[in-house]
């Protein structure tokens, strides 16, 4: 059913749940390939560093991604992790389009709840504009 799944990864628990759903789908169809995409929004990251008092939030990208690598490798699922720079929703959509993804899986909430209230969530923007199917994981 799904040969190419794009999973939005931002290091949040919801994005990890999205990755777990992708793994379960890939187990059902062995020829499925997963691409995890992390979009680095440097303006947001700079503000987070300046205003954060939580050292856990400031962990490096590599540490955040290791949890995802471990899950994919433990499940023996073929995967690739992609990092891009820019605004998350448009970059996820562009990557899904360019790679001819059959499905985008994204967590319902990310790391920045304030931005979600003010600007609308990344997941809702992806769902509205995607050309392929979208699964939003809670």
């Amino acid at each position: 059913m799904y040969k190419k799944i794009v999973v939005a990864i931002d290091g949040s628990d919801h994005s990890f749940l999205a990755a777990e759903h992708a793994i379960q789908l890939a187990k059902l169809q062995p020829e499925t390939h997963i691409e995890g995409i992390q979009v680095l929004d440097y303006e947001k990251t700079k503000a987070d560093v300046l205003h954060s008092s939580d050292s856990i939030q400031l962990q490096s990208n590599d540490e955040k991604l290791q949890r995802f690598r471990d899950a994919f490798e433990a499940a023996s699922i073929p995967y690739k992790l992609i990092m891009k720079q820019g605004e998350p929703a448009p970059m996820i959509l562009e990557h899904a389009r360019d790679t001819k993804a059959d499905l985008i899986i994204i967590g319902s909430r990310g790391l920045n709840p304030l931005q979600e209230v003010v600007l609308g969530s990344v997941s809702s923007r992806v769902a509205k504009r995607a050309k392929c199917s979208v699964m939003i994981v809670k």
Side-chain angles (χ1 to χ4, degrees):
M1 178 179 269
Y2 302 114
K3 294 199 183 277
K4 171 81 68 131
I5 298 174
V6 171
V7 182
I9 294 174
D10 67 0
S12 69
D13 288 338
H14 282 88
S15 70
F16 188 72
L17 289 173
E20 287 181 329
H21 274 73
I23 289 168
Q24 294 306 314
L25 286 173
K27 284 181 178 180
L28 296 173
Q29 192 165 337
E31 62 274 4
T32 299
H33 289 72
I34 297 174
E35 289 193 4
I37 180 169
Q38 181 184 35
V39 180
L40 303 173
D41 185 347
Y42 288 119
E43 289 303 314
K44 178 187 157 307
T45 302
K46 184 171 71 173
D48 287 348
V49 169
L50 291 174
H51 297 102
S52 180
S53 60
D54 184 358
S55 62
I56 293 173
Q57 279 186 329
L58 300 178
Q59 62 183 302
S60 73
N61 281 327
D62 196 46
E63 290 171 2
K64 287 180 185 178
L65 292 179
Q66 190 59 48
R67 179 180 182 196
F68 295 89
R69 282 189 200 101
D70 292 344
F72 291 127
E73 290 170 9
S76 299
I77 300 296
Y79 75 96
K80 183 162 63 168
L81 294 179
I82 310 290
M83 279 194 230
K84 297 205 175 206
Q85 177 185 354
E87 190 179 339
M91 294 306 293
I92 292 165
L93 291 165
E94 178 182 304
H95 182 74
R97 184 192 67 234
D98 291 350
T99 61
K100 296 178 176 49
D102 302 304
L103 176 67
I104 299 169
I105 303 180
I106 188 167
S108 62
R109 300 186 70 122
L111 291 174
N112 190 343
L114 176 62
Q115 187 179 36
E116 187 173 303
V117 171
V118 176
L119 301 174
S121 71
V122 172
S123 59
S124 66
R125 285 185 276 161
V126 168
K128 286 178 188 174
R129 296 184 181 126
K131 301 293 183 201
C132 64
S133 296
V134 176
M135 178 186 292
I136 298 175
V137 178
K138 286 184 149 192

